[in-house]
Amino acid sequence: MLIGLVTFIALMGFTLGPRLGLSWPEKFVRDTVGFVQGIFYKPASYIAGFFEDVRDLKEVYEENERLKKAVAQYERESADYNRIKNENLYYMDLLKFTEAQMNRYDYDYRPANVLSVNQDPNNHTLVIDIGAKQGVKMNMSVISDEGMVGVISHVGNFTSTVKLLTTLDPQDANRQQIAATVSDKDTFGIIESYDKKSQMLKMTRIPQDDPVEVGDLIISSGNGGVIPRGMIIGTVDSVEVGEFGLNKTAMIDPAANFQDWKTLLVVFTPEVPQG
């Protein structure tokens, strides 16, 4: 037993002492364990990576959905902001226009929204959202911030029909002729028709010695008591000798563009009291 114990201690000292390498049994065991771990580790890592990629893909999808909603909300808010901004600018310009007109003439301007437009070239009219209940009456002038648009041709309780200047026709016995003048000259003429081809208003009965010339600003003169003075009509595009050489005819480029209206102004004058 003593000899066996001494031999065991000697073997332990030999195996535990400093060595340059592993013994072949240790190498065999290490290689075997490493091979088996490799067999199981790679598939396990692939499976774990697959589920991790699926989780990442789901997170990316959810993030994309959140971003899409945020972009859509931003576009809606941006569109609303631009619409409100443009409307504010428009109403500010309209307010400046009415203030300038009121400082010049003792008129009241009632804003009206355009409800519908009849594009029939023979009956070009539009409907606005104020009527008799708001004091609107027949033949009242209707303007935009650019110039005169037309006159009230029909009045309901809460809506009114506006007959546009583009419907002026010398063959129409019910047409509303407009006595016109130049804003800073002593001149006279009648706006009696609209030329659809040239898109110009025709001003006739201008005296031969009248100083009207190209570029002059034409406004209503107020003669006749229907159309009030100072309604901007347009600018003179050309002046020609009229029939029989006794007077002149001028073609007027309208100030209003007769399209894309949202808000117009009905002109109330002291001669036509509000109801």
Side-chain angles (χ1 to χ4, degrees):
M1 290 178 63
L2 183 59
I3 294 171
L5 181 61
V6 170
T7 302
F8 177 72
I9 294 171
L11 289 173
M12 288 180 62
F14 176 74
T15 56
L16 295 175
R19 294 179 297 172
L20 297 177
L22 298 175
S23 62
W24 72 267
E26 291 173 329
K27 291 180 179 180
F28 174 78
V29 171
R30 188 190 65 177
D31 293 341
T32 302
V33 171
F35 176 75
V36 174
Q37 285 180 337
I39 293 175
F40 289 99
Y41 174 76
K42 288 184 179 180
S45 64
Y46 289 152
I47 294 173
F50 171 77
F51 285 107
E52 185 175 354
D53 291 342
V54 171
R55 184 175 63 253
D56 292 343
L57 183 63
K58 182 179 179 182
E59 291 177 356
V60 169
Y61 174 79
E62 292 174 350
E63 181 67 19
N64 285 341
E65 290 298 312
R66 287 193 294 268
L67 290 175
K68 287 180 180 178
K69 293 179 180 179
V71 169
Q73 182 177 358
Y74 170 78
E75 290 178 347
R76 289 193 299 270
E77 292 177 351
S78 178
D80 289 341
Y81 169 79
N82 290 331
R83 176 181 57 79
I84 294 172
K85 178 181 177 182
N86 291 334
E87 287 182 354
N88 285 340
L89 291 174
Y90 173 77
Y91 288 125
M92 288 175 64
D93 291 339
L94 201 61
L95 179 61
K96 292 177 182 177
F97 173 81
T98 56
E99 287 178 345
Q101 290 293 97
M102 284 187 288
N103 290 334
R104 188 173 182 182
Y105 303 105
D106 187 20
Y107 302 152
D108 183 24
Y109 298 85
R110 183 74 59 84
N113 295 315
V114 176
L115 299 178
S116 64
V117 178
N118 182 359
Q119 298 292 356
D120 184 352
N122 296 320
N123 186 29
H124 197 183
T125 59
L126 53 85
V127 177
I128 56 177
D129 65 348
I130 61 175
K133 294 294 184 180
Q134 291 77 35
V136 178
K137 295 185 178 182
M138 289 283 292
N139 294 323
M140 280 185 166
S141 298
V142 179
I143 64 174
S144 70
D145 59 337
E146 297 173 326
M148 187 171 179
V149 170
V151 296
I152 300 293
S153 62
H154 181 271
V155 181
N157 285 333
F158 301 102
T159 61
S160 299
T161 301
V162 180
K163 193 170 185 178
L164 304 182
L165 295 184
T166 54
T167 62
L168 285 176
D169 186 350
Q171 306 301 322
D172 183 5
N174 297 320
R175 71 185 185 279
Q176 181 63 66
Q177 296 180 331
I178 304 171
T181 186
V182 178
S183 62
D184 56 354
K185 294 180 182 179
D186 184 15
T187 188
F188 173 80
I190 297 292
I191 304 294
E192 66 171 20
S193 64
Y194 177 79
D195 184 6
K196 294 182 176 62
K197 184 176 181 180
S198 64
Q199 297 183 341
M200 298 277 181
L201 292 165
K202 189 175 182 180
M203 182 175 173
T204 62
R205 307 184 196 177
I206 306 172
Q208 189 63 36
D209 59 349
D210 195 291
V212 63
E213 59 185 356
V214 174
D216 283 345
L217 177 65
I218 301 298
I219 63 174
S220 58
S221 68
N223 292 341
V226 178
I227 306 299
R229 178 176 173 81
M231 302 294 102
I232 296 174
I233 297 173
T235 54
V236 178
D237 182 76
S238 64
V239 180
E240 301 174 352
V241 176
E243 295 180 359
F244 310 112
L246 301 177
N247 52 34
K248 296 178 183 177
T249 297
M251 300 305 293
I252 312 301
D253 186 13
N257 60 13
F258 300 102
Q259 61 182 358
D260 298 331
W261 288 308
K262 294 181 180 178
T263 304
L264 295 174
L265 298 168
V266 179
V267 182
F268 290 82
T269 67
E271 293 77 18
V272 185
Q274 300 182 33

